Amino acid sequence: FPVTIRTNGLFTAPIAGLYQIYYNGRAGSVNSQMQVIIHKNTNVSELMWEAPGNTGVAHFGVSGVVKLAAGDTLQASVVIGSIQFDGNNSWGAAYIG
């Protein structure tokens, strides 16, 4: 089932069901705390990656399964720290049933 993430980073579920979600990113600094959250409908945390400072982390990835109703939205946000998002990084959702 095709999935579209708009240029503003917002995904809207076209139909109800289970979706596999993922986030792959690159830490902008290993010297400060970092946190990325994928929110459902702007306020429910569905997937999170977090690391304290001085971890030596560079690239990271997380994934999970979320139940969405038709019209529910997902959006990835850098909540704390500096996360680089470029051509080597991505996030998305795929309908699985």
Side-chain angles (χ1 to χ4, degrees), residues 7 32 58 63-64 71 77 79 82 90:
T7 56
S32 63
S63 66
S77 303
V79 180
S82 173
S90 61

Side-chain angles (χ1 to χ4, degrees), residues 18-23 38 46-48 61-67 74 92-94 96:
L18 296 176
Y19 288 79
Q20 174 74 36
I21 59 176
Y22 71 91
Y23 184 95
I38 295 181
E46 291 294 346
L47 188 68
M48 181 177 74
V62 291
S63 66
V65 175
V66 61
K67 185 175 183 179
L74 295 173
I96 59 175

Side-chain angles (χ1 to χ4, degrees), residues 75-93:
Q75 187 164 26
S77 303
V78 176
V79 180
I80 299 172
S82 173
I83 305 297
Q84 302 296 318
F85 197 79
D86 57 28
N88 297 314
N89 308 301
S90 61
W91 83 274

Side-chain angles (χ1 to χ4, degrees), residues 46-72:
E46 291 294 346
L47 188 68
M48 181 177 74
W49 177 84
E50 179 178 55
N54 299 313
T55 62
V57 71
H59 280 86
F60 61 92
V62 291
S63 66
V65 175
V66 61
K67 185 175 183 179
L68 300 176
D72 279 352

